[in-house]
Amino acid sequence: MRVTGVPLDDVLNAIADQNDAEIRGSVLAPRDVTTDFENVPVQDGLHRILGDQNFLLTYRQDGTLRTLALLGGPEEEPPRTRVVKAGAGQPSTLAELMQRSVPVPPGSKLARFLGHDSATLQQLGDVVRGQDDAGLRMEAMRAGVGAIDSQQDLRDAAVKALQGSDDAAIQSAARGLSGDRAREAVSQIATLSHTPEIRTRMLGVLKSMNQPPSTP
């Protein structure tokens, strides 16, 4: 890609046209793009030109790009909750944690949907938020929670993020990541996680979410 002062929408449309792909959603911050790079994966190139805006790519069976879903918005962005670093390379913010790539079971329905045997935690959250298929959502939850349970740096970061946030902040993050399925996501994390600190914290958050709102 080599462009100078080209509107971002035009750049995305050119990428979609080259792949006979569909664009869903809209650009949050329209701007002109000036960039020059080559021989990088589509996902990495899109990260460079989209900046902080999240997106989800899906692929056809032959490996070609099928859809580029542009995600996010002021009401959907999770709060940048700080995480105390426990070692080199550990994610330092919730946003960094969500960009971590984790494995997806090869040959699974989720892998076929994504077109890859890996996905970022953000992409798994996008599946939970945006897909009507309950089985697909559960596979995404299992992949994400399983990765956090099994990878020490992710587990430590998640535990510290939860311990450093009150119930309201965690609920806000859950709504940002899972939309209307926030309660479902919190319940599944509490059920699936084998990390006691995560399971206990999420059960507490779920309890507060299930309480009726207080009346003035």
Side-chain angles (χ1 to χ4, degrees), residues 60-138:
R60 302 181 182 92
Q61 292 290 340
D62 62 2
T64 58
L65 184 65
R66 181 175 64 185
T67 61
L68 162 59
L70 300 172
L71 307 168
E75 73 284 355
E76 295 182 349
E77 294 175 357
R80 295 179 61 84
T81 306
R82 292 293 299 175
V83 179
V84 179
K85 289 187 177 180
Q90 186 185 43
S92 60
T93 66
L94 181 59
E96 290 176 11
L97 177 71
M98 295 308 296
Q99 294 307 315
R100 181 67 167 270
S101 182
V102 301
V104 171
S108 65
K109 186 176 186 178
L110 178 62
R112 294 195 300 272
F113 173 78
L114 295 170
H116 285 287
D117 292 342
S118 65
T120 65
L121 291 174
Q122 178 66 58
Q123 287 175 317
L124 296 178
D126 294 337
V127 171
V128 173
R129 175 178 55 194
Q131 294 302 313
D132 293 331
D133 187 326
L136 194 62
R137 297 201 305 272
M138 177 56 75

Side-chain angles (χ1 to χ4, degrees), residues 167-168 171 175 183 186 201-215:
D167 286 1
Q171 289 180 40
R175 286 191 295 271
R183 183 178 282 99
V186 170
R201 189 72 183 89
M202 298 308 278
L203 283 172
V205 173
L206 182 62
K207 182 179 179 180
S208 66
M209 294 176 77
N210 287 334
Q211 289 179 345
S214 57
T215 56

Side-chain angles (χ1 to χ4, degrees), residues 5 12 28 38 51 56 58 60 72 79 116 121 139 142 144 161 163-164 177 202 212:
L12 296 177
L28 296 180
E38 62 180 343
L56 175 66
T58 59
R60 302 181 182 92
H116 285 287
L121 291 174
E139 286 192 20
R142 289 186 183 279
Q163 291 176 340
L177 296 172
M202 298 308 278

